[in-house]
C-alpha cells in the first residue's frame, strides 16, 4: 500500500496497486482510439467544400480532444513507473490543465451544439439569422474565453512533490493547498459542469417535445428522421450523465473527505478508489464526441444550406 497525505501531519495507507494496471491500459486505449476518431473527423471536415455551423463546433471539439490526447502518453509512463513523474513541473501543470480544458471546453461546445439544434428544430425559420457561421465562430471563441480564465487556478495549483523519495505529479494540488482548492473545485463543478448540463437537458427536452408533437406524421421519411433524432438525443444525455456526472460527484466527495474527514482512512480509501476509477473513464469523452456528433448527427438541412452562404 501507498501512503496518502490527508493533512499536514496525518498519513493514511491507501491500497492503489490497481491503478498501475487500470490507468495505463485505459489511457493507452483512449489515446489510440481517440487519435483515430478525431483525426478522421478533422480530415473529413477539412475535405468539405464549405463548413456548416455544426462543423465549426465539431472541429473545435476535435482540436480540444487532440490536445488532451497528446498528453496521455506522459500519464501512461507515469503510472507504468508506479506514480513516478520524470517530466518536470511545467509538464505536470500542462497535463493537468489540458485535462480540465478539454473537459470543460468540450462541455461548453456541446452546450453550443445543443442550443443550435434546439433553435433549428423548434424555431427553424425564426432562428435562421442566429444560425450563421459567423455566430458559430463567435460562440466557440466565447466558450474558450470563458474556459481559460476559469482554469488558470488549475495551472497554478498543479505541482510536483516528493513522496517516498520519488517525484510525483499531484492530481489536483499538494496536500497543504487542498483547503483552498476545495471551494475552487466546487465552484468549477457548478459553473463548468452543472449549469451547462442543465442547459443541455432543457434544450433536449424541448426538442423531444417538439419532435413528438409530429409523431403522427404520415411521411415515413419524416418519422424515421424524428425517431433517429430522439434516439441520438437520449444517447447524448445518457452518455453525458454516465461519463461526467459520476466523475464530478466522486471528485467533489473525495475532495471533501480529503479536507474535512482527514482521520477517516476507510472513508478516504473508498472515495479515492471511486474517484480514481472514474477519472480515466471521463477521458472516454474524447472518443465518444466524434462518434456522437459526426457519425450520428442529424443536422437541419435548412441550417446547412443557410450557413454555407453566410
Amino acid at each position: 500500500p501507498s501512503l496518502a497525505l490527508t493533512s499536514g501531519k496525518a498519513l493514511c495507507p491507501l491500497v492503489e496497486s490497481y491503478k498501475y494496471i487500470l490507468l495505463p491500459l485505459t489511457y493507452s486505449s483512449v489515446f489510440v482510439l481517440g487519435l483515430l476518431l478525431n483525426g478522421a473527423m478533422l480530415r473529413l471536415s477539412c475535405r468539405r467544400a464549405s463548413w456548416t455551423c455544426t462543423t465549426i463546433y465539431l472541429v473545435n471539439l476535435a482540436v480540444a480532444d487532440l490536445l488532451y490526447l497528446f498528453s496521455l502518453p506522459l500519464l501512461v509512463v507515469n503510472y507504468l513507473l508506479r506514480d513516478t513523474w520524470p517530466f518536470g513541473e511545467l509538464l505536470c501543470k500542462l497535463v493537468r490543465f489540458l485535462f480540465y480544458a478539454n473537459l470543460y471546453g468540450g462541455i461548453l461546445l456541446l452546450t453550443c451544439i445543443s442550443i443550435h439544434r434546439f433553435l433549428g428544430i423548434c424555431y427553424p425559420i425564426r432562428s435562421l439569422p442566429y444560425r450563421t457561421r459567423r455566430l458559430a465562430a463567435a460562440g466557440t471563441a466565447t466558450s474558450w474565453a470563458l474556459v481559460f480564465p476559469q482554469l488558470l487556478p488549475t495551472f497554478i495549483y498543479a505541482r510536483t512533490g516528493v513522496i517516498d523519495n520519488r517525484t510525483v505529479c499531484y492530481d489536483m494540488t499538494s496536500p497543504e493547498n487542498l483547503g483552498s482548492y476545495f471551494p475552487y473545485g466546487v465552484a468549477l463543478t457548478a459553473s463548468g459542469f452543472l449549469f451547462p448540463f442543465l442547459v443541455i437537458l432543457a434544450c433536449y427536452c424541448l426538442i423531444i417535445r417538439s419532435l413528438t408533437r409530429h409523431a403522427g406524421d404520415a411521411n415515413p421519411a419524416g418519422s424515421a428522421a424524428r425517431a433517429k433524432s430522439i434516439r441520438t438525443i437520449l444517447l447524448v444525455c445518457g452518455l453525458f450523465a454516465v461519463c461526467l456526472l459520476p466523475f464530478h460527484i466522486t471528485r467533489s466527495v473525495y475532495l471533501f473527505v480529503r479536507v474535512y474527514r482527514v482521520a477517516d482512512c476507510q472513508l478516504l480509501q473508498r472515495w479515492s478508489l471511486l474517484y480514481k476509477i472514474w477519472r480515466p473513464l471521463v477521458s472516454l469523452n474524447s472518443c465518444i464526441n466524434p462518434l456522437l456528433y459526426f457519425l450520428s448527427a442529424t443536422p437541419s438541412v435548412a441550417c446547412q444550406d443557410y450557413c454555407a452562404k453566410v
Side-chain angles (χ1 to χ4, degrees):
S2 61
L3 295 176
L5 189 62
T6 56
S7 71
K9 300 178 180 179
L11 287 171
C12 276
L14 296 180
V15 178
E16 295 187 313
S17 55
Y18 62 89
K19 71 181 184 181
Y20 304 128
I21 299 173
L22 172 67
L23 300 189
L25 284 176
T26 304
Y27 286 138
S28 298
S29 302
V30 169
F31 174 73
V32 174
L33 188 58
L35 202 62
L36 291 173
L37 290 174
N38 285 283
M41 188 172 96
L42 276 179
R43 182 181 177 185
L44 291 172
S45 296
C46 291
R47 290 172 62 183
R48 296 172 70 99
S50 62
W51 283 12
T52 66
C53 306
T54 304
T55 305
I56 293 172
Y57 293 123
L58 290 171
V59 168
N60 274 267
L61 198 57
V63 170
D65 288 338
L66 287 171
L67 286 175
Y68 169 63
L69 289 168
F70 289 137
S71 72
L72 290 183
L74 302 182
L75 290 176
V76 172
V77 172
N78 175 73
Y79 291 112
L80 287 176
L81 295 176
R82 302 184 71 83
D83 252 341
T84 300
W85 183 259
F87 303 110
E89 186 161 274
L90 180 60
L91 282 179
C92 171
K93 289 176 176 290
L94 186 61
V95 165
R96 301 311 185 195
F97 179 83
L98 286 175
F99 169 75
Y100 288 107
N102 169 258
L103 180 64
Y104 294 114
I107 290 173
L108 280 183
L109 290 170
L110 297 184
T111 306
C112 291
I113 292 172
S114 302
I115 295 172
H116 180 80
R117 286 180 169 179
F118 161 72
L119 293 173
I121 292 174
C122 297
Y123 303 98
I125 305 301
R126 290 168 55 188
S127 66
L128 279 176
Y130 305 103
R131 292 185 288 123
T132 67
R133 290 185 299 187
R134 185 177 301 172
L135 288 179
T140 58
T142 301
S143 297
W144 292 121
L146 290 173
V147 165
F148 283 106
Q150 276 185 305
L151 296 181
L152 280 179
T154 295
F155 194 84
I156 296 170
Y157 274 115
R159 61 190 60 190
T160 57
V162 177
I163 297 178
D164 295 335
N165 295 321
R166 53 191 171 84
T167 301
V168 299
C169 176
Y170 290 114
D171 183 27
M172 289 174 277
T173 189
S174 54
E176 62 270 16
N177 290 320
L178 282 172
S180 62
Y181 184 88
F182 177 70
Y184 166 69
V186 172
L188 187 60
T189 296
S191 62
F193 168 71
L194 186 58
F195 178 70
F197 183 47
L198 292 176
V199 173
I200 290 172
L201 282 180
C203 287
Y204 283 160
C205 287
L206 293 171
I207 289 172
I208 291 173
R209 186 179 70 172
S210 177
L211 291 173
T212 52
R213 283 179 179 175
H214 304 281
D217 195 332
N219 184 352
S223 299
R226 281 191 294 274
K228 183 179 180 180
S229 296
I230 292 174
R231 286 196 301 270
T232 302
I233 289 167
L234 292 175
L235 182 61
V236 169
C237 291
L239 288 174
F240 199 94
V242 169
C243 285
L244 297 176
L245 185 60
F247 166 76
H248 283 92
I249 291 174
T250 55
R251 178 176 175 272
S252 298
V253 176
Y254 173 66
L255 262 175
F256 177 84
V257 172
R258 288 287 303 271
V259 175
Y260 296 107
R261 298 290 298 275
V262 295
D264 195 335
C265 291
Q266 185 177 4
L267 187 65
L268 176 63
Q269 172 69 60
R270 183 182 307 124
W271 283 103
S272 173
L273 174 64
L274 290 172
Y275 166 67
K276 289 171 184 177
I277 287 175
W278 280 110
R279 192 184 189 283
L281 291 180
V282 81
S283 303
L284 289 173
N285 271 341
S286 299
C287 303
I288 294 170
N289 288 334
L291 287 177
L292 285 174
Y293 289 101
F294 191 75
L295 302 178
S296 301
T298 54
S300 166
V301 175
C303 173
Q304 291 184 25
D305 291 340
Y306 184 80
C307 290
K309 300 174 184 178
V310 177

